Amino acid sequence: MRLHRLTVTAFGPFAGTQTVDFDRLAEAGLFLLHGATGAGKTSLLDAVCYALYGVVPGHRQGVSAQGEKLRSDHAAPGTRTSVTLDFTVSGRRLEITRQPPFVRAKKRGTGTTTEKALTTLRAHDPARGWTGLSRTHQEIGEEIRQLLGLSSEQFCQVVLLPQGQFARFLGADTADRALLLRQLFDTRRFFEIETHLRERKAETDEAVRHADSDLLALHHRIAQAAAPPRDEAPDQPPAAGDPALPEFVLTHAALARAHARELLDIARLRHRGAEAAHHAASAAHDRVRELAALQRRYAEARARADALAAREPAHRADLDRLDAARRAGTVAPALDLRAAAATAHAEALAAERRLRATLPPEHAEADAAGLAEAARRQDETRGALASARRAEERLRELVRERDAVDREDRADAQARAEDEQWLDTWPGRRAELRARVAGARDAATRAAELTGRAEPVARRLAAARRYGELAAEHARAEAAEAEARARRDACRAAWLDAREARLDGIAAELAVQLTPGAPCAVCGATEHPAPAGRAARHTDRAAEDAAETAYRRAETAASEATAHARTLAAQRDAAAEAAGDTPLAALTAEKSALDRDLAAAHAEAARLTEALHAEERAEREHTRRAAAREAAVTRAAARTSAREALDAEEGRLRAEAAEARGGFASVADRARHLEGRARLLAEAAEAVRAVATTADRLKEADARLADAAFTARFDTPARAAAARLPESEARELRARTEAHAREAHTVHLALAEHAVAEAAAQPPAAPGPAAAHARAAEAAARTAASAHDAARTRATALRSLSATLAARVGELGPLRARHALVSGLADLATGSAKRNERKMRLESYVLAARLEQIAAAATTRLARMSQGRYTLVHSDDRAARGKLSGLGLHVVDAWTGRERDTASLSGGETFYVSLALALGLADVVTDEAGGVRLDTLFVDEGFGSLDEQTLDEVMDVLDGLRERERCVGIVSHVGELRRRVPAQLEVVKGRAGSAVRERGF
């Protein structure tokens, strides 16, 4: 990268615009940047960094966020701070301009406003000249970083070589060296690797602890499930993290499973014995209980036999009634048939009488055939009315259709009237809208014209106002100048008076110093017969010096007041020239009139977009309404044709319906009447036929009943009917006789059973004691079964927990191995591993490699500057407790052959060693950043500590940089360098700000 031109305005100590032509300075290759302290040498370097990165280096970093800290205190209020840098990088000629935020007075009203920061980037093309690239801060910053390949910190270290910082770097501890190296070399990824390994170590450690906790939890669950004897204390497991924990829990689980299996075998044997005892006691109890039951059955059978013998006569009577009822049951169908036939005949006669009473007189005495024929004729007449009913329904639909057509006609008529009314006003509306558009366009043109007129008036008005302020301020300055001159003259008179009074009494002043025998300071005599006495107005030297000091101060104040008055006069004259001859009131009135006209024009012009949109909307509305009007006319013609067709169809259908209605309100009413008449006639015919049919069935039922009574051995049908029993009574008699028979059979079987007879012959049984013994055996069996179930459950749970434990132990092995691997890597990277003999962290190792490269690059120049005496070497010895290892730096003295600490170097030696270190660092950082060639370097201060010979060596090294087509700038106060370096850039400071001067060209 090569710098061509730097232009600063109102930046740092520079009040106006100052330009540095680096191309002219580069012709000499080596130039000197010098000036008084505080003049602004470093501010030029700050401007270069600020132009490229938007920040300034060193302790002033961050001020770019607040533009007022970059702004010159000497700058005029209306002058904006600006930095422009013209440079070439990677074969491209670029120009970047940065302007920080600017606080200025408002153009209207009082107070201040802040303009935003501005950044522009231009590129130079030999064919097209300068062309803009971007005005976005982020885009420009990213493009500069990509082109240079350096961060702002790296650029400041590589291009602006601050020797004082590298002198501190030589004597700094490892922590401070690491801080600088981290800024220059991006080692964040190695720090992130350390952090990642530490986090992974913590994660795997937590996973191992969690797995051990799971093992301990399973161990406690196994211990709880195993339920060891109360007199045995359980063994305490190792703590979590102990490698012996898996073996311990597996052993404990195996012992618990074996103990559970033994307990299960014991419980199983006990359960089998208790079950056998329970079965034997239950069998004995069953035998005693069976004997007692047989004895009870015999006693019950004898009692039931006696009761049956007492109920035998009543049983015989029940059997006779059931026999008569059975025989009457054979007659029952005939009886039921005859009763049903009589009921049906009576119902048919009643229905016939009821229906004939409702018939018309002409059909009241007709037979069944006549009634059926009359019903058929009614149905035929009703069927003929179907067409008339459809016509009547169609008439109702026609009314609805006619109403719909009328509604559409009315809606279209109303919409068409609205459209016609709107279209009638369209020509006037269109003319009005076009007039609004034309007026707004005229206003925009007028606003542009008024803006062009207003800007010169505004400048003249501001100048006129500034002239009034400067005139008043100049008057005050002239008064202050006159007062300062009067005070200066008074002080001068007082000083001259004091001086004259002292001269008048100088003899008395010398006489005071005379000593008898000592020579006089004036005449040399050793006798002093008449020394002069002190006069009344004698003044001593202190009073004279005080008066002279007061005079010098007054003279300086008067000079400053005169300069200030002249400055204000020049500014006042410039403002008067800019304001012209027009009075302030006239300019104010003219500006106010222009502002009002401009505001009105802007307000009217602002309505242009609204007027264009309104005109566009009106055109669309006109098109829509015209199309709607045409569509309404078309629909009206179609509805006229439809209405005529509906009228014709309605006339035809009304004639057809009127003929079919007869004397009824509607065809449907007549059809319902005919349907009811036909149904009535059909029902009456059916009732007449039913009377004849039921009469024949009644005669046939009487004959069948007589035959059935005779067959069932009844004298008359009436006796058969009397012998019938209700079903409930018959069921009761059958149940009573059947129960008697069953009881007799059961008693017979019970008394005839051999076992019952044998049991009756034995002594009475006693089931109570046998039941108690059986219950005790059953309780013992249940207790043994519960113990067996508990033992089986415990064994099953232990097998399941042991399987889970074995799986967890199997998972723990790879987890511990992974933790050991990660932990070893983390400890190695963080410097805490035993294998890391120097206790060097990964990031420190990378920084140490970079430092070793820097030391090697610095030694190339250091050997020349020290005439081969000194060599910089990197040391990776283990540092003291709490410090970083691997960042040691020593210097090898070829005269003694020993390594020396860099702190033992003298001031001059420290300077050229740090210069070599800075130049070596520049080479390494440049290579690290991508190898961008840096053709302009600045070396800042430190040459005053060199002797003449060393200075020659250092200048030879810098000349060597120049020989490689680099431009090297030396920033120094040393006077010797002004003689050695012809090309000079001097920064001169003054009360109105600093200025840049070129010398030696």
Side-chain angles (χ1 to χ4, degrees):
M1 183 190 75
R2 177 174 292 276
L3 305 182
H4 299 294
R5 185 179 298 273
L6 173 68
T7 302
V8 297
T9 302
F11 182 86
F14 305 104
T17 299
Q18 301 293 324
T19 300
V20 178
D21 190 348
F22 288 108
D23 286 338
R24 292 189 61 187
L25 296 172
E27 293 175 358
L30 187 66
F31 68 92
L32 176 65
L33 176 59
H34 68 94
T37 301
K41 302 184 300 296
T42 306
S43 295
L44 291 176
L45 308 184
D46 292 348
V48 173
C49 186
Y50 176 71
L52 292 174
Y53 294 97
V55 297
V56 294
H59 65 280
R60 292 181 292 277
Q61 280 188 359
V63 302
S64 59
Q66 300 175 351
E68 64 273 9
K69 294 187 178 181
L70 297 174
R71 182 172 176 77
S72 174
D73 295 333
H74 304 282
T79 303
R80 182 164 187 175
T81 302
S82 176
V83 178
T84 300
L85 180 63
D86 180 4
F87 63 101
T88 296
V89 60
S90 300
R92 298 179 63 188
R93 181 78 176 265
L94 301 173
E95 181 190 80
I96 184 171
T97 299
R98 289 188 188 270
Q99 295 178 345
F102 178 46
V103 179
R104 61 169 177 81
K106 292 183 177 179
K107 295 181 179 180
R108 296 180 182 178
T110 59
T112 60
T113 184
T114 301
E115 295 184 2
K116 296 182 178 179
L118 178 65
T119 304
T120 59
L121 181 64
R122 299 194 304 168
H124 186 269
D125 189 334
R128 294 183 299 172
W130 290 101
T131 57
L133 295 181
S134 177
R135 296 176 64 90
T136 303
H137 298 282
Q138 291 79 6
E139 293 179 359
I140 293 174
E142 183 62 27
E143 186 164 359
I144 293 297
R145 280 190 290 272
Q146 290 180 0
L147 288 172
L148 295 180
L150 299 172
S151 66
S152 61
E153 294 82 2
Q154 291 173 327
F155 179 83
C156 294
Q157 294 294 338
V158 171
V159 178
L160 314 177
L161 302 178
Q163 296 310 114
Q165 179 176 344
F166 279 93
R168 291 191 299 272
F169 181 81
L170 287 173
D173 59 11
T174 56
D176 293 335
R177 287 178 183 168
L179 181 60
L180 175 62
L181 292 174
R182 287 193 193 103
Q183 294 174 354
L184 299 177
F185 302 100
D186 187 8
T187 59
R188 288 176 298 178
R189 59 187 183 276
F190 302 103
F191 178 75
E192 291 171 357
I193 290 174
E194 295 179 20
T195 304
H196 175 72
L197 290 175
R198 283 195 299 269
E199 292 174 353
R200 291 291 297 137
K201 176 183 178 182
E203 291 175 2
T204 55
D205 185 63
E206 178 63 23
V208 170
R209 286 199 300 271
H210 182 71
D212 287 346
S213 299
D214 288 346
L215 290 185
L216 288 174
L218 286 172
H219 168 72
H220 293 313
R221 291 175 61 186
I222 290 173
Q224 292 174 356
R230 294 182 179 179
D231 55 350
E232 294 182 8
D235 296 334
Q236 292 299 323
D242 192 333
L245 178 61
E247 183 66 25
F248 175 84
V249 296
L250 288 175
T251 302
H252 180 269
L255 293 175
R257 289 198 306 275
H259 181 62
R261 285 195 296 270
E262 292 177 359
L263 293 179
L264 178 60
D265 293 341
I266 294 172
R268 185 183 296 113
L269 294 175
R270 289 178 178 175
H271 178 238
R272 289 176 182 175
E275 284 288 336
H278 173 243
H279 289 321
S282 296
H285 176 249
D286 291 341
R287 289 192 297 271
V288 174
R289 187 172 57 190
E290 184 178 359
L291 177 61
L294 290 173
Q295 290 176 348
R296 286 196 303 274
R297 286 177 61 189
Y298 179 79
E300 292 173 356
R302 291 304 313 166
R304 290 163 66 188
D306 295 341
L308 286 174
R311 293 200 303 272
E312 187 63 27
H315 174 63
R316 292 296 178 184
D318 292 339
L319 290 175
D320 292 341
R321 289 186 64 191
L322 283 175
D323 180 63
R326 181 183 58 76
R327 289 184 288 109
T330 60
V331 187
L335 288 171
D336 295 338
L337 180 61
R338 201 277 175 192
T343 301
H345 183 61
E347 292 176 352
L349 288 174
E352 180 188 10
R353 287 192 294 272
R354 178 175 53 78
L355 291 173
R356 283 187 181 279
T358 59
L359 292 175
E362 64 270 17
H363 302 299
E365 300 300 331
D367 58 3
L371 293 172
E373 179 63 23
R376 186 185 59 77
R377 288 196 300 272
Q378 296 292 326
D379 285 337
E380 290 178 353
T381 304
R382 184 172 60 85
L385 294 177
S387 176
R389 293 182 64 184
R390 288 194 296 272
E392 195 171 50
E393 293 176 356
R394 177 57 183 160
L395 279 173
R396 288 193 292 272
E397 293 178 0
L398 287 175
V399 172
R400 291 193 293 271
E401 292 179 6
R402 184 72 170 271
D403 292 340
V405 170
D406 292 341
R407 286 194 301 273
E408 292 177 1
D409 202 6
R410 289 192 298 272
D412 275 355
Q414 182 178 357
R416 190 167 60 253
E418 293 177 357
D419 292 339
E420 291 288 352
Q421 182 180 0
W422 193 93
L423 292 171
D424 290 342
T425 62
W426 168 241
R429 187 189 304 271
R430 180 169 54 187
E432 179 185 355
L433 290 172
R434 289 180 177 176
R436 287 174 57 190
V437 172
R441 285 176 176 163
D442 293 342
T445 304
R446 190 167 61 256
E449 179 184 355
L450 289 172
T451 301
R453 291 170 53 192
E455 290 180 356
V457 174
R459 288 194 296 270
R460 290 168 59 197
L461 178 59
R465 289 174 177 169
R466 179 62 176 162
Y467 170 77
E469 296 173 357
L470 290 173
E473 190 172 354
H474 179 257
R476 291 191 296 271
E478 285 183 336
E481 179 187 7
E483 182 180 354
R485 286 178 177 177
R487 187 161 50 252
R488 179 199 61 187
D489 294 341
C491 290
R492 185 173 184 277
W495 170 52
L496 293 176
D497 291 344
R499 185 177 183 182
E500 183 180 0
R502 181 166 178 262
L503 291 175
D504 292 342
I506 193 66
E509 184 175 340
L510 292 174
V512 174
Q513 301 176 359
L514 293 176
T515 303
C520 174
V522 178
C523 63
T526 57
E527 295 181 0
H528 315 293
R534 182 180 295 272
R537 54 187 299 270
H538 176 72
T539 302
D540 57 9
R541 183 178 184 84
E544 181 187 359
D545 291 343
E548 183 181 6
T549 301
Y551 163 68
R552 299 301 181 192
R553 290 176 179 173
E555 185 179 23
T556 301
S559 299
E560 292 177 353
T562 300
H564 181 58
R566 290 176 181 174
T567 301
L568 290 176
Q571 294 177 354
R572 179 198 60 192
D573 295 340
E577 182 180 357
D581 298 332
T582 306
L584 177 61
L587 287 174
T588 303
E590 183 180 0
K591 182 63 169 58
S592 299
L594 286 174
D595 288 342
R596 288 193 299 271
D597 295 343
L598 184 59
H602 278 307
E604 187 174 355
R607 293 193 287 271
L608 175 60
T609 302
E610 180 183 356
L612 289 173
H613 289 171
E615 183 181 11
E616 183 181 358
R617 289 195 299 271
E619 291 286 353
R620 289 199 301 267
E621 183 67 14
H622 173 264
T623 302
R624 185 188 68 79
R625 288 184 180 270
R629 180 178 61 183
E630 295 299 330
V633 172
T634 302
R635 289 197 299 273
R639 283 195 296 272
T640 300
S641 299
R643 189 181 291 106
E644 292 175 355
L646 291 174
D647 291 342
E649 185 180 3
E650 183 180 4
R652 179 176 57 78
L653 293 177
R654 285 190 182 280
E656 181 181 354
E659 181 182 357
R661 278 197 300 269
F664 291 89
S666 65
V667 176
D669 291 343
R670 186 182 179 193
R672 284 193 295 272
H673 173 73
L674 292 174
E675 183 181 5
R677 178 69 64 84
R679 186 171 56 254
L680 183 60
L681 290 171
E683 290 176 355
E686 184 65 28
V688 171
R689 286 193 291 268
V691 168
T693 301
T694 56
D696 294 340
R697 290 176 180 173
L698 181 60
K699 290 178 182 179
E700 183 181 357
D702 286 338
R704 288 183 178 180
L705 178 59
D707 292 341
F710 177 77
T711 303
R713 302 193 305 276
F714 288 105
D715 297 337
T716 61
R719 287 184 179 274
R724 294 182 67 182
L725 292 174
E727 182 59 30
S728 60
E729 187 176 354
R731 283 199 300 272
E732 183 180 355
L733 284 176
R734 282 196 296 274
R736 193 160 56 236
T737 56
E738 289 173 359
H740 186 278
R742 287 196 300 272
E743 180 71 10
H745 180 69
T746 300
V747 169
H748 174 71
L749 290 177
L751 293 176
E753 188 176 353
H754 178 70
V756 173
E758 286 184 353
Q762 293 183 14
H773 181 64
R775 286 194 297 273
E778 182 182 9
R782 283 199 300 270
T783 301
S786 298
H788 177 256
D789 291 341
R792 183 171 58 234
T793 301
R794 181 186 301 110
T796 302
L798 287 174
R799 281 197 302 273
S800 176
L801 290 173
S802 297
T804 303
L805 180 64
R808 296 292 174 81
V809 171
E811 295 171 357
L812 182 59
L815 188 61
R816 285 188 183 275
R818 186 162 57 252
H819 173 61
L821 176 62
V822 173
S823 178
L825 289 175
D827 293 342
L828 184 63
T830 56
S832 58
K834 292 181 179 179
R835 293 181 296 167
N836 194 335
E837 297 177 357
R838 292 181 173 84
K839 301 302 178 183
M840 187 184 299
R841 290 171 41 201
L842 177 61
E843 185 186 21
S844 300
Y845 177 78
V846 176
L847 293 177
R850 293 290 185 264
L851 184 59
E852 188 173 6
Q853 294 174 348
I854 294 170
T859 298
T860 303
R861 296 182 176 88
L862 178 59
R864 183 175 178 182
M865 284 188 283
S866 64
Q867 297 181 348
R869 179 180 180 183
Y870 292 123
T871 302
L872 271 177
V873 294
H874 160 257
S875 172
D876 56 2
D877 294 340
R878 182 173 176 178
R881 182 180 183 86
K883 295 185 178 180
L884 295 175
S885 298
L887 297 180
L889 197 62
H890 299 291
V891 62
V892 177
D893 190 343
W895 292 2
T896 62
R898 296 183 180 181
E899 287 188 5
R900 292 169 51 189
D901 191 276
T902 54
S904 64
L905 296 172
S906 66
E909 291 172 340
T910 300
F911 167 74
Y912 63 70
V913 170
S914 62
L915 176 60
L917 184 65
L919 293 173
L921 174 65
D923 293 340
V924 174
V925 172
T926 302
D927 294 339
E928 174 74 12
V932 176
R933 179 177 173 84
L934 301 174
D935 296 324
T936 305
L937 297 176
F938 294 92
V939 181
D940 189 3
E941 291 299 346
F943 291 89
S945 60
L946 303 179
D947 57 43
E948 185 174 356
Q949 182 179 359
T950 305
L951 182 59
D952 289 338
E953 298 298 334
V954 171
M955 293 302 294
D956 288 342
V957 172
L958 296 179
D959 281 339
L961 296 176
R962 179 182 63 180
E963 292 170 0
R964 296 170 62 186
E965 296 183 357
R966 280 184 175 178
C967 178
V968 180
I970 300 175
V971 184
S972 178
H973 296 278
V974 178
E976 177 64 19
L977 290 176
R978 299 181 189 178
R979 183 182 61 81
R980 289 174 175 265
V981 182
Q984 299 178 13
L985 187 65
E986 182 180 7
V987 183
V988 181
K989 67 178 179 179
R991 292 182 178 274
S994 297
V996 177
R997 297 176 183 173
E998 295 180 354
R999 298 182 182 275
F1001 296 100

